[in-house]
Amino acid sequence: MHLKSALLLSLGLLLFSCTADKTSSKSESTNTSSEEVQKKGKTLPPIPTERLKRLWEEATNLDYIFLNLPISMNMDNQEAIHSSISHFAPGGVTLNPECKQHDGNMLFIIDGEIVEECQFYYQDGCKYFVWLENGKKTYANPMNQVGIDFMERMFTGAILNDAREPVNQQ
């Protein structure tokens, strides 16, 4: 089973790094005026593959904190953490200035220490992850279809569960 996971990780990281290299070379070759950047938003490169590999191999916990939903989640098993890491598509992201507020945070933890933090955006025109370093937006990855489906289940499920909760009137 470990061999299968290692092969999947290797293949995923290889595909991720190949696409990331193509994306970065394309972005280096285009000249963008500051006016265009303001309209389109800032473009951030993807998180380096080595950092994702470290999370894949060493993360012991993953916390999801939803800002506008009455839920949060803590994952403490490798399979669930690996599944969440698989939601990051390769390539960088041009941030949409229309999406001012993120929808939540993901905190990757190794032995009790937060080692990576990213914000997730799940809105029309904004389905991506923004990685923070010292509170600054540094990297970004698109959300792949598996991640979009996961977020849809979380948002729909939380809204439905919230609607089913009895209203406590006094």
Side-chain angles (χ1 to χ4, degrees), residues 62-64 84 88 104-108 116-118 120 129:
L62 170 58
D63 289 342
Y64 278 87
S84 292
F88 308 126
N105 293 40
M106 295 171 70
L107 306 174
F108 290 88
E116 296 285 356
E117 177 180 358
C118 72
F120 57 86
F129 302 93

Side-chain angles (χ1 to χ4, degrees), residues 90-133:
V93 170
T94 298
L95 304 180
N96 184 340
E98 297 295 316
C99 299
K100 305 215 184 295
Q101 177 63 44
H102 61 286
D103 295 292
N105 293 40
M106 295 171 70
L107 306 174
F108 290 88
I109 301 164
I110 297 176
D111 297 326
E113 180 185 345
I114 298 170
V115 294
E116 296 285 356
E117 177 180 358
C118 72
Q119 300 173 331
F120 57 86
Y121 290 75
Y122 182 73
Q123 306 163 31
D124 288 338
C126 302
K127 289 184 173 54
Y128 47 76
F129 302 93
V130 176
W131 298 85
L132 305 177
E133 278 187 6

